[in-house]
Amino acid sequence: MSLHSRCHRLCVQALNRPSICFNPSRAPTRVPLVRKQCRGVASTPNAEKVLFPGALNSEFTDTLEFLRPSSKKAIPTYRVVDQYGDVINKDIGVDTEDSEALELYKNMICLSIMDLLMFEAQRQGRLSFYMVSAGEEGISIGSASVLHPTDVVFCQYRESGVYMQRGFTLDDFMNQLFANSKDCGLGRNMPVHYGSKELNIHTISSTLATQIPHAAGAAYALKLQNSQNPEVEPRIAVCYFGEGAASEGDFHAALNIASTRQVPAIFICRNNGYAISTPTSDQYRGDGIASRGAGYGIATLRVDGNDIFAVRRATQEARRLALENGGQPVLIEMMAYRVGHHSTSDDSFAYRQKIEVEDWKRRDNPITRLRKWLEGRGLWDENQEKELRSQKRKEILAAFDRAEKEKKPAIKHAFKDVWEEVTEEQRGHVEELMDILRRYPKEYDVDQYEGGAGSLGELLEKK
Amino acid sequence: MAVKAPSIRSLSRYLLRPHVSVHPQCRFRVQSKRSSSAAAEARLNGTVEYDSTSILHHTSRTALQNPELPEDVRRGQTKRINLYTAVNEALRHALQTDERVLVFGEDIQFGGVFRCTMNLATDFGTERVFNTPLSEQGLVGFAIGAASEGMRPVAEVQFADYVFPAFDQIVNEAAKYRYRSGNTGVHCGGLVIRMPSGVVGHGALYHSQSPEALFTHTPGLHVVIPRSPTQAKGLLLSAIRSSDPVIFMEPKVLYRAAVEQVPVSPFYLPLDKAEVLKPGKDLTIISYGTPLYTCSAAIAAAEKDFGCSVELIDLRTVYPWDRETVLNSVKKTGRAVVVHESMMNAGVGAEVAATIQEKAFLRLEAPVKRVTGWATHTGLVYEKFIIPDVTRVYDAIKQTLDY
């Protein structure tokens, strides 16, 4: 394509959009679009502004001054209630109904009890692995509570609260943790790698940050599906990840492409201070993750993750923004402290003081903060707390027992779903495996799998 | 829009990645030069002639004889086009018939550095045909996400040499998406990742690679390499329609060089079948992509010199590959040679040779020979010594027959 033809097409586009200024010397209102349109404009000798295509809104300066991050104040952290549960701006309040706040509180308690019990179950060897959400219950439950049920969610792994808030039942959790025949992941994934089609949450993969560009692509799909068929309601994609994952190249790639394609997505970073043993001082030297948002041209906010009201209001507003002007990405950095160990395979006291953790538990966490607020309004007391805790404990243990009793999924699921159809090569492998199982029956415990060795035969029947 | 002057962008891209020609004609000239640059006395090397090779359909009649084409296509018209135009036509048809199809990658919008996406952005809009930032992991991850929400993205990686930043996304995400999602039924099967691959005469280290074997070691992917415009069109359309992620590697040296009669109507070629290009009874050569032309020329010389008859098989889909067609052939001929550009160790040839050894052991009259790239990188001026040429394939035929 020649330069001439490109300019011609762009001019036509520019005419169709009166709000966009084709002359870059006048202040444009929508920078990314203008930048796209003005690519071919040549510099003039007496230009007052930079006309380099790479930075159209820059002004010339005769002062040699490096931009130093240290000269900037850190991005403030948005909060609605303080750590004593008192609303800071009484005029605005918390815009959460009492009944809803109670529901959120109950879910947070349920999640924290499930975490304690499952952590213990892993220590007893009844589960192979577990990861708790301690200290971050408010982020997952609070943000999920203001999303639309049809919004598509991509998680990292410390967002069990999102599943719980969206309707993942205790049985769903337990079935996945035990990888039994009722696990919708068919026993293929490690514990905590939940997924649900009904709840529009994609299955978790262990690879860090790979889900971030997925969210950008999914959001673009949602945007197109809505524009191709206006009867489909506008939806957004939401992606969760930790501050450690944000160091991966996928984070950079995702936010950049999300911005250039203007996708309706919210990127929620849980900044909990640690990536396994690595403190944030070894993770980055800028002002957290939020400071990067502007670099990508993305609306960004930093939020107190221990304040569920702030999390909710921020997410709600981000969702509105994400759908504005045909779609745009939003970045929220939710500040928190990882109270628990990284996982059951980690002893975090090898790299941080126990007293530091105890301090955080005592000083501030999302559950006690909401509890203080509820108590302040006379909605909650010690008796209700005791009753709730014992009831949730019972429910979780009952689901745990049910899941533990289930058989493992059928062995055929080891081979299915690699491709849409079972391949010839796979058939050969299935035959060989069946032959081995038949000739060495004492070497394998096939009876704990649904259907025993017989299910493999089903793979050969079809076609 | 006809290409008259090279745009600034393609010029800068040319300077960044020098072997990409700004002008279509330039590249063609370089290629002609390449094929005639063999030693003055050469009898074998330098005889690969795209104008007359039997690999390509030079007449409408032979093009329409293909029994894999449906009846209505065989009664239709053909048009003489090259491989990049065939890719373009496949993309155009997919965009036209399915609004879920998206085409994107680096420099896609102006037509692509190899012209494969010419005019698509103009005709289908930049919502569906668009440039992405220069980030392979980003654009492939983006494609996986879009596919997981029901779209059919065709992502382009500008050169197969640059697919490695996206390797994690392809191997850990695209290939495993359906499996790990279990009975939630979510998958990214609508995904196709196109990439130009193979040597081009002067591509050196980073414009010459054929990394297909890395993907054939990954369950969950289809890896497809077409040999001609007809194959490119039919296989790409099938890849886009397939519900599994497909790695579609286009031999870039053939983009302009391979010109043949291609049915005008859209058609679909199977993704699980090899094709017997030429029947024979003394020896089987198994190959795919560009080396098929080398093999064809070597076979012609060998048959003339040794009075033998050689069968030539195009794998087309290198994974999951068609064992049956290959084994039937080798059981018949008793001798096999596998030819590919990428290096021997753990290459596609290793898998084919091992399978032949395992399943046709009693029929083999000679060891399975592999003619492949040597265990080195493609240094700029050494390409013709590294990649299998007519002489090496000719000699492999000779040695295998004489064994």
Side-chain angles (χ1 to χ4, degrees), chain B residues 25-253:
Chain B
Q25 289 81 357
C26 298
R27 196 160 340 119
F28 196 69
R29 268 206 296 279
V30 172
Q31 255 160 31
S32 334
K33 192 178 152 222
R34 172 178 166 261
S35 60
S36 61
S37 68
E41 302 284 307
R43 186 176 67 91
L44 298 167
N45 281 346
T47 57
V48 177
E49 290 300 335
Y50 291 105
D51 296 344
S52 54
T53 173
S54 60
I55 302 267
L56 296 168
H57 295 295
H58 301 291
T59 67
S60 183
R61 193 178 53 82
T62 61
L64 295 173
Q65 265 168 1
N66 184 355
E68 282 180 345
L69 297 175
E71 200 51 44
D72 57 320
V73 174
R74 293 176 68 181
R75 277 199 304 268
Q77 298 288 310
T78 65
K79 191 167 64 177
R80 212 176 122 78
I81 56 173
N82 62 18
L83 198 141
Y84 85 68
T85 310
V87 169
N88 185 280
E89 287 196 358
L91 293 174
R92 172 170 293 277
H93 176 74
L95 284 161
Q96 237 157 20
T97 51
D98 188 344
E99 67 174 8
R100 297 172 300 172
V101 173
L102 309 173
V103 175
F104 54 83
E106 297 156 13
D107 303 301
I108 282 299
Q109 213 163 302
F110 87 109
V113 295
F114 287 109
R115 294 295 181 249
C116 291
T117 52
M118 279 300 286
N119 299 330
L120 297 180
T122 332
D123 295 353
F124 297 98
T126 51
E127 292 283 286
R128 294 178 65 204
V129 182
F130 54 87
N131 289 338
T132 64
L134 214 162
S135 165
E136 284 76 14
Q137 68 189 106
L139 76 93
V140 170
F142 186 89
I144 293 169
S148 75
E149 283 301 316
M151 304 305 274
R152 298 200 159 265
V154 184
E156 181 184 296
V157 172
Q158 204 159 62
F159 289 86
D161 310 64
Y162 306 130
V163 74
F164 305 114
F167 205 58
D168 184 32
Q169 285 286 352
I170 295 172
V171 174
N172 277 326
E173 297 294 326
K176 296 176 175 61
Y177 219 110
R178 185 193 296 276
Y179 191 74
R180 76 155 178 260
S181 298
N183 63 18
T184 68
V186 179
H187 61 90
C188 62
L191 172 69
V192 178
I193 304 171
R194 292 177 45 239
M195 60 189 90
S197 69
V199 296
V200 70
H202 47 282
L205 281 70
Y206 307 108
H207 298 82
S208 301
Q209 295 178 54
S210 297
E212 64 272 8
L214 295 170
F215 299 112
T216 64
H217 202 63
T218 308
L221 301 175
H222 288 269
V223 185
V224 182
I225 306 178
R227 66 168 185 274
S228 69
T230 305
Q231 295 291 315
K233 183 173 174 180
L235 291 171
L236 182 52
L237 279 172
S238 295
I240 295 170
R241 195 170 65 170
S242 160
S243 290
D244 287 319
V246 180
I247 306 289
F248 197 81
M249 299 173 73
E250 296 158 9
K252 58 182 162 300
V253 74

Side-chain angles (χ1 to χ4, degrees), chain A residues 184 188 207 220 225 414 425, chain B residues 126-127 149 173 179 183 319:
Chain A
C184 58
R188 290 167 183 160
T207 40
Y220 192 66
Q225 283 160 9
E425 180 192 17
Chain B
T126 51
E127 292 283 286
E149 283 301 316
E173 297 294 326
Y179 191 74
N183 63 18
Y319 193 63

Side-chain angles (χ1 to χ4, degrees), chain A residues 167-214:
Chain A
F168 213 59
T169 66
L170 289 174
D171 284 315
D172 292 335
F173 281 114
M174 298 304 144
N175 291 334
Q176 200 285 331
L177 294 173
F178 277 107
N180 66 25
S181 60
K182 290 183 171 169
D183 166 23
C184 58
L186 297 171
R188 290 167 183 160
N189 305 305
M190 278 177 80
V192 191
H193 292 49
Y194 311 113
S196 172
K197 174 75 176 163
E198 294 73 37
L199 305 178
N200 287 306
I201 313 178
H202 285 264
T203 303
I204 289 167
S205 72
S206 308
T207 40
L208 285 184
T210 46
Q211 80 279 15
I212 314 180
H214 296 179

Side-chain angles (χ1 to χ4, degrees), chain B residues 282-300:
Chain B
D282 300 324
L283 185 146
T284 304
I285 296 187
I286 302 115
S287 188
Y288 51 89
T290 322
L292 287 165
Y293 295 87
T294 314
C295 294
S296 179
I299 289 169

